Amino acid sequence: MDSNLLVRIHTVSVVLFLLTYMIKTILIFSSKPMLRKYSASTKVLEMIISFVFLVTGVWLFVIIGGIKSMQIIKLVFVFLAIPLAVVGFKKEKKGLALLSLLLVIGAYGISEMSRSKPFIPLKAVAANGNNSTFSAGAVIYQSNCAFCHGADGKKTYRNAPDLTISGLNEDAIKQMLREGKGRMPSYTLVLSEDEINSVAVFVKGLQPLPPIPNP
């Protein structure tokens, strides 16, 4: 499935999931008979929304192949909210229902905040003790940029450009890393200038060499 379509489906399911919790929380405080009637009539729909919400979320994590620290907090909030909601709405416990809603809202807020946060690269040493600029850039790239661009630069997650055909020179790549563009965040506060230079050298190396002119 196209990653952009998957994200849209996940986003819609998140909004519906949140809306369902809001309606049920309002009803538990205003009219418990209405809550029972609403819960009975939307039980199947709620199960479908919850299933799509969880499956698409996990699917996205699998595609990306990594997770941000803020997203870990989001997952904790969601997995705490669901059992609290089940107990709260079933037993009509207002405190549990409200806490569940607050956790879902918090998870949604954290998700929005983490969109512009980069993955934090691992501080690893180049394999075989090779500490050349290219190898150092490969380490940082694989532990950070490969989430969206892929190990070979061709992943194109959510329309990330194919780095093997981008045609950008090293200076343009450095500027992109410093400033970010579109869904790509700025890495100025994450990578040092030397690390940015190393990544630029590696990314440039993903592009095929120009053909050698005939003598």
Side-chain angles (χ1 to χ4, degrees), residues 4-20:
N4 282 308
L5 176 60
L6 183 60
V7 170
R8 283 194 289 270
I9 294 173
H10 180 68
T11 301
V12 171
S13 67
V14 168
V15 173
L16 292 175
F17 187 81
L18 178 58
L19 183 61
T20 299

Side-chain angles (χ1 to χ4, degrees), residues 43-174:
K43 183 177 181 180
V44 175
L45 179 61
E46 187 176 342
M47 290 175 62
I48 293 173
I49 292 172
S50 300
F51 177 77
V52 173
F53 165 62
L54 292 173
V55 169
T56 54
V58 172
W59 196 346
L60 284 171
F61 283 129
V62 171
I63 291 176
I64 295 172
I67 189 170
K68 303 175 185 180
S69 57
M70 293 181 73
Q71 290 174 329
I72 295 174
I73 299 173
K74 168 193 168 183
L75 288 176
V76 171
F77 278 19
V78 169
F79 284 109
L80 281 175
I82 292 175
L84 287 174
V86 171
V87 175
F89 293 123
K90 185 175 183 179
K91 296 186 176 297
E92 298 180 351
K93 301 290 185 181
K94 295 180 180 178
L96 291 179
L98 181 59
L99 177 58
S100 176
L101 175 62
L102 293 175
L103 286 171
V104 173
I105 293 174
Y108 181 80
I110 289 172
S111 177
E112 290 299 308
M113 289 170 57
S114 67
R115 288 180 185 273
S116 61
K117 302 295 183 183
F119 290 90
I120 304 301
L122 302 174
K123 295 297 182 182
V125 179
N128 301 321
N130 186 346
N131 292 314
S132 68
T133 300
F134 183 87
S135 296
V139 171
I140 299 169
Y141 175 89
Q142 295 298 336
S143 59
N144 196 327
C145 311
F147 290 116
C148 294
H149 291 287
D152 59 358
K154 298 180 179 182
K155 184 175 179 179
T156 65
Y157 173 71
R158 298 198 68 187
N159 295 332
D162 184 338
L163 298 179
T164 65
I165 59 174
S166 70
L168 294 178
N169 59 32
E170 287 185 23
D171 288 337
I173 296 170
K174 293 175 189 177

